[in-house]
Amino acid sequence: MNNNGLPPQPISPVNEFFWALIGLMLTIFGTFVEVFFVIPTNTTNLENIDTTSLGITYQLAGVFFTGMVGGRNAAAYAQIAYVIMGLFKLPIFYQGGSFDYIQYPSFGYILGFIPGAWLCGFLVLPGKRRLELFTISAFLGLLVIHLFGILYLILYTYLTPFLGNQLTPTYLWDAINLYTVTPFPSQLALICAISVVAFIIRLILLY
């Protein structure tokens, strides 16, 4: 129930389309913007600051922000459009874009954007505005993305030798460490921050 005692209303198709466009643009631009942590080194002179890279981009911010403010359909539409546009040679993936991208070991993580974004939106809208729910929904969406990514890595590892390319014995574990284990803490920090932003926007928009 919302503050007026009425059941929460689903987002209209027009608003879903609007948020899907925003989510697509945020995901594209976020792909190429690195996340930095800013630390002032002198409290009396804010010009003296240190910036430390978290080793990730704002890509996931666009994925989950759309789900938290636009709902499951808008979030899924945005990521479906992102994947299709990237596969058809638009350079919107981190390393460019073409149908050959399916041969990249990390492509499973990109595919995971679709169900991950959908789940995030499904858990949040329509419903009450609760910051903890926003954070939990983004966390579960993140787990789905990594699950898809790891499954794709497993397929990639076991199918690649049949295509004539040999991998090292530790390739699978090295790839999981590179794409999941290493960036996961930074990604958790990012989704916590974007959950707060989405929560404030939902408060402003009163839904």
Side-chain angles (χ1 to χ4, degrees), residues 105-106 109 149-158 172 175-176 179:
S106 60
Y109 293 89
I150 291 173
L151 290 176
Y152 200 88
L153 285 174
I154 293 173
L155 289 174
Y156 180 88
T157 301
Y158 287 100
L172 177 59
I176 292 175
Y179 296 119

Side-chain angles (χ1 to χ4, degrees), residues 86-168:
L87 288 177
F88 284 90
K89 297 188 176 181
L90 289 178
I92 58 176
F93 294 154
Y94 189 74
Q95 293 176 294
S98 72
F99 196 76
D100 291 339
Y101 219 90
I102 62 174
Q103 300 177 26
Y104 283 56
S106 60
F107 184 65
Y109 293 89
I110 296 177
L111 288 179
F113 289 175
I114 300 172
W118 184 92
L119 178 63
C120 178
F122 173 79
L123 295 174
V124 170
L125 283 169
K128 290 184 177 179
R129 296 185 300 266
R130 298 206 310 268
L131 180 57
E132 65 273 18
L133 179 59
F134 283 36
T135 306
I136 292 172
S137 68
F139 174 72
L140 293 177
L142 181 63
L143 291 183
V144 169
I145 290 174
H146 282 283
L147 175 61
F148 269 70
I150 291 173
L151 290 176
Y152 200 88
L153 285 174
I154 293 173
L155 289 174
Y156 180 88
T157 301
Y158 287 100
L159 291 179
T160 295
F162 292 101
L163 300 176
N165 298 319
Q166 296 300 317
L167 302 175
T168 64

Side-chain angles (χ1 to χ4, degrees), residues 69-84:
V69 299
R72 60 182 183 269
N73 291 333
Y77 295 155
Q79 299 313 312
I80 291 173
Y82 177 72
V83 171
I84 292 175

